Every structure is written in C-alpha cells, then in structure tokens.
Amino acid sequence: CDQCGECLYQKPPKESGYDCQWFYKCMRCAFLTIRMVDRGGLYRRYPTDLPCLVAAIRCGWANRSRRYAIQVFPSLCAFVCIRNVGIGKAVAETVSEQGFKPKHILVTGGCGFIGANFVRYVARNHPDVHITVLDKLTYAGNPANIDGLPRSQVELVIGDICDASLLERIVPGCDAIVHFAAESHNDNSIFDPEPFIRTNVEGTMRLLEAARKYDVRFHHISTDEVYGDLALDDPCKFTESTPYKPSSPYSASKAASDQLVRAWVRTYGLRATISNCSNNYGPYQHVEKFIPRQITSIMEGARPKLYGTGENVRDWIHTEDHSSAVWEILTRGRIGETYLIGADGEMSNIAVMRMILRLMGCAEDSFDWVRDRPGHDRRYAIDSSKLRTELGWKPVHTDFEAGLQATIAWYIDNRAWWEPAKAATEARYRAQGQ
Ligand code: NAD
Ligand code: TDX
C-alpha cells in the first residue's frame, strides 16, 4: 500500500461503487489506488480521489520523487474518470503517450567508455536534464572522460553501486537511473570472475532495491553476449526472444543482472526497461578492448594481436548511436520491455584488424596471431527491428570505415589519455599469453 506500506491490496467489492478492474483498496487503511496497465504491461498505481491524494501527500508519498506532478495529474484525471466507467485505460494511454521527461538522472558507470559517451550525449542534447554520475573509478573509469561538461549540469559522485547506504543518499530525488556500471571485459572475467559477480549481479540488485524503494524509473544497459553465439553461417540474428545462453563469466553475470531486472518488474512493478547492445566503438574506450588495443599498439610501434583464427564476427555500433537508442528507450520505451540495439555492422575480427592497419598506413598482414580466448564466442548479430519500428530509432554512423578512421584520429589526438593505462594492460595480456 502506498499509504501504510502493508501488502494488503484487494480488489474493491462491486458494491463499493468502484466497480472497475482498475481499482484496488488496501484492506488495512482503506487507501484506494488505481492500477493501470501501461503500454508495456506494467501496472502503475495512482491515488484516485481527493481524500486519497491528501493522505498520500501527508504520508510523504508524493515527495518521494520528482514524479509528483506527473502522478498528481493522472490522479485527478482518474478522480473524474471514476464517474465514467472504463476510462482508467484511457488515462493510462494518455500518460504513456506523453512520454517520460526526466529532469534528474543518475548514470552509473558514467566515467567508463559507454557511460561517459552517454553523459556527453545527454549534456549536449538535453541541457535541461541534470546528471549525477555514480562511478567507483575502477581501472576502467576515468573522470577525464566527462571533463569539460558544465558543473551545474553534471556532478560526479565517486562510489560503489554495491554501497546501499550511499544509494540511500543519492537515489531519492532522481527521476531515473541509467545503469551502465559493470566489470565489462571478457578476458578479465576468465582470469578472475569474482568482481564480475559482485558488481554486475550484487550491484544491480542494490540499485534495483533503491529504485524500488524510491519509485525511480530504471534503465538497464546490457549486452548481446547474454544470448551466447551464432554459427558463422547461421542466417539468423539475435532477437528479443532468443533464449539466454551466456558463455563467459562476464556474459553470465550480465544475464543474471537482466533476469533480476525482469523479476523486479514483475514482482514489484518496477518501471524498468532493458537494452542489449552489440559491440561499441568510438572515443574513450579502454585500451584493453580490441579496437583501441590495436590502434594504440600500432602507435607504439608494436604488432597488434589477433586471437585464434580471427574469423570471429562482431556486430559493431558507434557508441553515439548506442546513446541515442538508450535515450529513446528511456523516454519512450514500453515499461517492462527489452530492446536490442544494433547497427547492422557485422565484421570478422581479421577484417577489422586489416582495416585498422590499412587506415594507419601499415601492411595488412603486420599482426601476430596469439592464443585464443577460452570459450571464445564465434559470432554476434543483432536484429534491431523492434527498436527501429516501435521507436523510430536509426543509427547515424552507418559507415564503419569512416567511424573507425575518426576513432583512430581520436586516439592519435589523445595520447595522454590512454598512455598511462597501456603498459599495465599489455603486461596483463602478456601474462595470459595474449
Ligand atoms: P567500462 O569498463 O569502460 O566502464 C565501466 C564503468 O563502470 C567504469 O567507469 C567503472 O569505474 C565503473 N564501475 C565498475 N564497477 C563499479 C562499481 N562497483 N560501482 C560503480 N562504478 C563501477 O565499460 P563499458 O564498455 O563502457 O560498458 C558499459 C556497460 O555497457 C556495461 O554494462 C557493459 O556490460 C555494457 N555493454 C558494453 C558493450 C561494449 O561493447 N563495450 C556492449 C554492450 C553492452
Ligand atoms: O587483442 C585482442 N585480439 C582479439 O582478437 C582483443 C582484446 C580481442 N580480440 C577479439 C576477441 C573478440 O572476438 O576481438 C573481439 C572483440 O573483443 P573485445 O573488445 O574484448 O570485445 P568482446 O569480447 O566482443 O565484448 C565486447 O562487446 C560486448 C565488450 O567488451 C563487452 O563489454 C560487451 O558486452
């Protein structure tokens, strides 16, 4: 119950006058709510009449989040609608058509590669949105990634998503959490899985609990790797209904976190969405990842390294296109839904390696073959039709070679950004025979 906190809802009896499937009443304090199915099948609850509203405001329900105004409006509508049977549904539709307009978002992992690009995207395109970045600044997080953004708009909180007491302080007042923070590198997860379970599984659970407590909209960033891999000649691609079959400790931890989000939606009615994206490239990516590793090795005069046979296929997307897709899903996506994000960028590792070498003026065969990754996924491929048809999203960076050329230029121009991490990263790879 939104008023007394007890789990004591029952459908009001017909004789109560609230003869409508949308109304529920708490058996303990008689608080009445309207339960409306949102577009994604999620039930939202709103107080329905003036006494309920007054009670809700008194007990602090309305102050718990900045969604107050949004919630009061449908509440009043619902009050009027009580006299017009069946209008609850119409109200629900009105609410979802308005779209979700967050004013204050919490971005976890906003000092990492994709998170920082998302923060930059929102700061540039939505200057009215305040962004709190929560980042532990692990080896993969760098506060320089969000340098230069207005301090009045973007604030950094250094901390761990597993720290429940910290979340208690920073989640209230946020309209939405966009959850990027993760241990993200497959090779590291094979070497030491433990931090992956802690951050990706436990950390996601802590955030979900905070979002539930303060009724905050949640968007979970996930990966196509949860679906396992496809054969090189398989005509199929991953869709939202492909069964989960993760291969590495990393992808298993991401799969677990996705399932937690679904459980929180179904059990607690959390307003959450999930996106599973393909391989990102672009500025600010850590030098441990495939494309930056090869670019920076060539810049240092070292030979780039290709795992196994080099036939493995990845489906590349520019990180800015990932950002625009996440924004669309956050603001217009259907609650409870999963959206796959991809830009039809399938390419074998060896083809990408040769393209990098050519664009950097080297012979296309001047790389070394190294030990393959254990359990190496063969191919990822995303079918993003749901996102494109439902939300009208499409990628802007459709020329992979041009995007790669710009990324190479970024690493050439920003040597001071990546150089401090390069030696330690290569030492780790050397120890693993890669
Ligand atoms: P990244 O490793 O570059 O950044 C991760 C960020 O999370 C870092 O800033 C790090 O400091 C922070 N972090 C880690 N543990 C934390 C903790 N316990 N508390 C707070 N902050 C913590 O990762 P990325 O490549 O930017 O990936 C971001 C998200 O996108 C991840 O969830 C990843 O699974 C997902 N994803 C990545 C790709 C890709 O190609 N890189 C593709 C699809 C999905
Ligand atoms: O030196 C290398 N040589 C090489 O051949 C490295 C670092 C990688 N590879 C291969 C392994 C993969 O087939 O290149 C491909 C890409 O490797 P990564 O950059 O490590 O990415 P991947 O394992 O595909 O996972 C990435 O995409 C999905 C991200 O790191 C994940 O966070 C995301 O979920």
Side-chain angles (χ1 to χ4, degrees):
C1 172
D2 285 324
Q3 176 161 258
C4 68
E6 289 296 309
C7 188
L8 288 172
Y9 274 99
Q10 68 169 15
K11 279 175 82 70
K14 279 207 167 172
E15 48 286 10
S16 70
Y18 296 110
D19 178 19
C20 170
Q21 57 165 320
W22 306 104
F23 294 103
Y24 283 78
K25 191 174 182 181
C26 177
M27 287 162 63
R28 183 173 153 185
C29 71
F31 187 60
L32 188 71
T33 60
I34 184 166
R35 231 171 158 241
M36 300 187 295
V37 183
D38 210 340
R39 279 194 302 170
L42 170 82
Y43 289 98
R44 289 196 195 179
R45 296 196 301 261
Y46 300 106
T48 51
D49 52 20
L50 277 178
C52 285
L53 255 184
V54 171
I57 291 165
R58 263 212 218 103
C59 78
W61 170 83
N63 293 328
R64 282 218 302 264
S65 83
R66 292 181 185 194
R67 290 175 51 248
Y68 172 55
I70 304 167
Q71 289 187 336
V72 167
F73 172 69
S75 303
L76 292 175
C77 286
F79 173 59
V80 176
C81 292
I82 289 169
R83 269 118 238 214
N84 303 281
V85 179
I87 309 259
K89 195 171 179 199
V91 174
E93 280 162 7
T94 310
V95 171
S96 49
E97 284 311 315
Q98 286 169 354
F100 171 60
K101 295 194 175 77
K103 285 281 167 237
H104 185 178
I105 60 174
L106 176 66
V107 177
T108 71
C111 289
F113 163 48
I114 304 175
N117 276 289
F118 177 76
V119 170
R120 287 181 171 279
Y121 174 88
V122 176
R124 195 169 55 245
N125 294 293
H126 304 281
D128 53 328
V129 175
H130 186 271
I131 305 161
T132 300
V133 170
L134 170 60
D135 200 298
K136 189 179 170 183
L137 299 184
T138 66
Y139 78 95
N142 186 344
N145 295 4
I146 51 170
D147 266 359
L149 297 174
R151 282 190 186 274
S152 56
Q153 189 185 5
V154 181
E155 87 181 295
L156 170 61
V157 175
I158 301 171
D160 193 330
I161 56 168
C162 299
D163 182 346
S165 59
L166 173 62
L167 298 182
E168 279 289 323
R169 292 202 299 278
I170 64 173
V171 169
C174 292
D175 305 316
I177 298 174
V178 189
H179 175 34
F180 291 89
E183 287 292 338
S184 69
H185 193 35
N186 275 299
D187 292 320
N188 293 347
S189 80
I190 295 164
F191 186 69
D192 178 14
E194 203 169 316
F196 287 74
I197 305 306
R198 193 175 130 70
T199 287
N200 301 1
V201 184
E202 184 192 332
T204 300
M205 183 272 287
R206 295 272 170 240
L207 285 166
L208 288 167
E209 279 295 80
R212 170 163 86 100
K213 184 165 177 189
Y214 295 103
D215 190 19
V216 174
R217 168 86 169 83
F218 193 87
H219 181 71
H220 180 60
I221 305 294
S222 192
T223 170
D224 56 1
E225 296 194 16
V226 297
Y227 301 115
D229 60 355
L230 298 161
L232 296 179
D233 58 356
D234 192 331
C236 295
K237 296 184 174 196
F238 297 138
T239 70
E240 286 78 6
S241 54
T242 303
Y244 274 33
K245 200 167 174 259
S247 312
S248 71
Y250 161 69
S251 41
S253 69
K254 291 298 289 186
S257 66
D258 292 9
Q259 302 295 28
L260 290 179
V261 177
R262 293 202 175 97
W264 260 245
V265 169
R266 173 150 179 168
T267 305
Y268 304 115
L270 186 76
R271 293 173 297 127
T273 40
I274 300 175
S275 56
N276 298 76
C277 189
S278 59
N279 280 59
N280 284 222
Y281 73 99
Y284 300 103
Q285 188 167 29
H286 195 275
V287 291
E288 68 189 354
K289 302 288 175 14
F290 179 59
I291 289 178
R293 185 183 184 199
Q294 316 312 342
I295 296 171
T296 54
S297 290
I298 295 167
M299 285 177 68
E300 289 196 324
R303 283 168 73 85
K305 308 277 191 272
L306 193 59
Y307 294 176
T309 62
E311 283 176 328
N312 308 60
V313 169
R314 294 296 181 262
D315 191 350
W316 294 99
I317 181 172
H318 194 281
T319 188
E320 199 171 80
D321 287 328
H322 188 177
S323 294
S324 65
V326 168
W327 184 259
E328 289 306 313
I329 297 166
L330 176 69
T331 54
R332 297 195 299 117
R334 286 186 294 143
I335 298 299
E337 290 292 305
T338 291
Y339 295 86
L340 262 52
I341 306 174
D344 296 329
E346 277 189 73
M347 200 169 307
S348 69
N349 291 344
I350 193 164
V352 176
M353 177 71 96
R354 289 196 170 123
M355 194 183 281
I356 294 171
L357 284 161
R358 179 167 51 77
L359 292 173
M360 295 185 75
C362 306
E364 287 192 10
D365 59 354
S366 53
F367 62 86
D368 292 335
W369 302 97
V370 292
R371 191 172 78 89
D372 204 359
R373 173 183 286 172
H376 197 173
D377 282 336
R378 285 160 299 180
R379 172 175 161 242
Y380 306 138
I382 289 266
D383 174 352
S384 58
S385 340
K386 177 176 171 182
L387 175 63
R388 291 174 192 240
T389 52
E390 215 179 281
L391 300 182
W393 172 86
K394 55 179 191 305
V396 172
H397 299 270
T398 47
D399 180 343
F400 177 70
E401 185 166 332
L404 190 57
Q405 177 89 69
T407 304
I408 292 169
W410 189 88
Y411 282 89
I412 291 172
D413 291 344
N414 291 278
R415 195 174 185 121
W417 178 87
W418 57 263
E419 211 163 31
K422 182 68 178 168
T425 304
E426 288 305 321
R428 215 165 48 227
Y429 275 126
R430 256 195 314 280
Q432 290 165 204
Q434 292 173 319

